Amino acid sequence: MTHWRPTLQTATREEGYDLAVKLARVTVKQTQPDTGVRDRLRPSYAENPDALIAVSQVVAPHFATVSAANDFWRD
Amino acid sequence: MTHWRPTLQTATREEGYDLAVKLARVTVKQTQPDTGVRDRLRPSYAENPDALIAVSQVVAPHFATVSAANDFWRD
Amino acid sequence: MTHWRPTLQTATREEGYDLAVKLARVTVKQTQPDTGVRDRLRPSYAENPDALIAVSQVVAPHFATVSAANDFWRD
Amino acid sequence: MTHWRPTLQTATREEGYDLAVKLARVTVKQTQPDTGVRDRLRPSYAENPDALIAVSQVVAPHFATVSAANDFWRD
Amino acid sequence: MTHWRPTLQTATREEGYDLAVKLARVTVKQTQPDTGVRDRLRPSYAENPDALIAVSQVVAPHFATVSAANDFWRD
Amino acid sequence: MTHWRPTLQTATREEGYDLAVKLARVTVKQTQPDTGVRDRLRPSYAENPDALIAVSQVVAPHFATVSAANDFWRD
């Protein structure tokens, strides 16, 4: 996996959400390392509602993990 | 991500649910930033039962996260 | 969201399950507010096994949330 | 929902799993109350691998909920 | 459900993973008790990437449940 | 399952993510033990956006499990 910060801690909920999106994308990179292939595939999912929803289904559990790691950014 | 309140805390369960819906939609915006494309896609999922159910599958884990963040809005 | 009780607490497991079903349906209402469209779509999912199973996939995490909120209705 | 025991507690893991299967099926009954329709649909999912797997995807989170409710039936 | 050990405790993570796979398969057996039918269906999912991935989507939450039951086999 | 370290503990979040990917892949190996078949199937999912997203949907809950096992690699 591309090297990132050592922990799941983030300063804000926005950063936490962005980390969840990044975590979701890493599996695609590890499964399909060829950037050219990934770029070629983008139009077929970025304009497909089912695929856009399915991507969101990946981010949701990752956001749950990052939220728990940050104790939900409670005050 | 669009700037929101810094925490997942909400005053009521309804606000918490609405936040979960917003969290679910953010990934679509980040994956497909073009508002015109997103608007063009709406009819194809807003009248498709499978897509409407799939959207609900995204909100459920986000609502779980927001609920835990708010200790389930216990009295 | 339609106004409901302020917390996820329910007196019984049955009420908790019914609340989970209601929570699952709210996203569909928020995504497709037109009652006429939703009614028109019902036959296409209410007699479709894949769609009936997919609806159940939404209720399960919501029931998990409501169960945790009620400490699993332990004696 | 059909009336069941008031709590998610079960004496054994097997009973807990059976309860999870029952919880998964309740949504189908609530969404499609017509027994005749449900019976008519059975052949189309009971001999369809994708549908059988999808049913299992519903039971898994319910079993997680029942397991937590029973503290994983620890000795 | 076929009779198994009374708890979700396992000596090792490998046993825990195998138990999660078994838990995932039980629903298929309960939904389609006919071994002949299940055997007949195997080629259609065992050589179908989507089905193989979907099976993995069932095992993941079961492994989470078994892991929690075993306190993640911490030293 | 191929023999691995006895626990889910990892030194870093990256190792934890790689373990989650490995956990996701084990079910495919157990369901389809024939390496030749798995290799033959790779092109059909590695260049299919829906399949790549579905793989990510398996890794997410496994990463949640590994993260909890490692107390989110908190400082």
Side-chain angles (χ1 to χ4, degrees), chain E residues 12-15 17-18 21 25 42 45-50 52-57 59-61 63-65 67-68 72-75, chain F residues 1 3-9 19 23-24 26-28 30-33 37 40-41 44-45 51 54-55 57-58 61-62 65 68-69:
Chain E
T12 67
R13 193 188 58 168
E14 281 78 354
E15 280 182 42
Y17 194 96
D18 293 340
V21 172
R25 291 177 177 164
R42 181 172 160 76
Y45 70 82
E47 305 213 8
N48 174 330
D50 293 338
L52 289 170
I53 295 168
V55 169
S56 311
Q57 290 173 343
V59 173
F63 185 64
T65 299
S67 299
F72 306 104
W73 303 279
R74 284 191 175 110
D75 305 335
Chain F
M1 187 169 81
H3 190 80
W4 289 333
R5 289 157 301 174
T7 77
L8 298 176
Q9 259 61 40
L19 176 55
L23 288 167
V26 170
T27 297
V28 175
Q30 290 201 358
T31 310
Q32 178 49 270
V37 170
R40 177 162 49 81
L41 296 180
S44 70
Y45 70 82
V55 170
Q57 290 174 342
V58 184
H62 279 306
T65 300

Side-chain angles (χ1 to χ4, degrees), chain A residues 44-57:
Chain A
S44 69
Y45 71 82
E47 306 213 6
N48 174 330
D50 293 338
L52 289 170
I53 295 168
V55 169
S56 311
Q57 290 174 343

Side-chain angles (χ1 to χ4, degrees), chain D:
Chain D
M1 185 169 81
T2 325
H3 188 79
W4 290 333
R5 290 158 300 174
T7 77
L8 299 175
Q9 258 62 41
T10 67
T12 66
R13 194 188 57 168
E14 282 78 355
E15 280 182 42
Y17 195 96
D18 294 338
L19 176 55
V21 172
K22 188 179 284 190
L23 288 167
R25 291 176 177 165
V26 169
T27 298
V28 176
K29 286 185 188 175
Q30 292 201 356
T31 310
Q32 177 49 271
D34 185 323
T35 307
V37 170
R38 294 202 309 270
D39 291 345
R40 177 162 50 82
L41 296 179
R42 181 173 161 76
S44 69
Y45 70 82
E47 305 213 7
N48 175 329
D50 294 339
L52 289 170
I53 295 168
V55 169
S56 311
Q57 289 174 343
V58 184
V59 173
H62 279 305
F63 185 64
T65 299
V66 175
S67 299
N70 287 275
D71 191 24
F72 306 105
W73 302 280
R74 284 192 176 111
D75 305 336

Side-chain angles (χ1 to χ4, degrees), chain B residues 1-43:
Chain B
M1 186 168 82
T2 326
H3 191 78
W4 287 334
R5 289 159 299 175
T7 78
L8 298 175
Q9 257 62 40
T10 67
T12 67
R13 194 188 59 169
E14 282 78 355
E15 279 182 43
Y17 195 97
D18 293 340
L19 175 56
V21 172
K22 187 179 285 190
L23 288 167
R25 291 176 177 166
V26 170
T27 298
V28 176
K29 286 186 188 173
Q30 291 202 356
T31 310
Q32 177 49 272
D34 185 323
T35 308
V37 171
R38 295 201 309 269
D39 291 345
R40 176 162 51 80
L41 296 179
R42 182 171 160 78

Side-chain angles (χ1 to χ4, degrees), chain C residues 18-39:
Chain C
D18 293 339
L19 176 55
V21 172
K22 187 179 284 188
L23 288 167
R25 291 176 177 166
V26 170
T27 297
V28 176
K29 286 185 187 174
Q30 292 202 355
T31 310
Q32 177 49 271
D34 184 324
T35 308
V37 171
R38 294 202 309 270
D39 291 345

Side-chain angles (χ1 to χ4, degrees), chain F:
Chain F
M1 187 169 81
T2 325
H3 190 80
W4 289 333
R5 289 157 301 174
T7 77
L8 298 176
Q9 259 61 40
T10 67
T12 67
R13 193 187 61 169
E14 280 79 353
E15 279 183 43
Y17 194 97
D18 293 339
L19 176 55
V21 172
K22 188 179 283 190
L23 288 167
R25 291 177 177 165
V26 170
T27 297
V28 175
K29 285 185 187 175
Q30 290 201 358
T31 310
Q32 178 49 270
D34 185 323
T35 308
V37 170
R38 295 201 308 270
D39 292 345
R40 177 162 49 81
L41 296 180
R42 181 171 161 78
S44 70
Y45 70 82
E47 305 214 7
N48 174 331
D50 293 338
L52 289 170
I53 295 168
V55 170
S56 311
Q57 290 174 342
V58 184
V59 173
H62 279 306
F63 185 64
T65 300
V66 175
S67 299
N70 286 276
D71 191 25
F72 307 104
W73 302 280
R74 286 191 173 113
D75 305 336

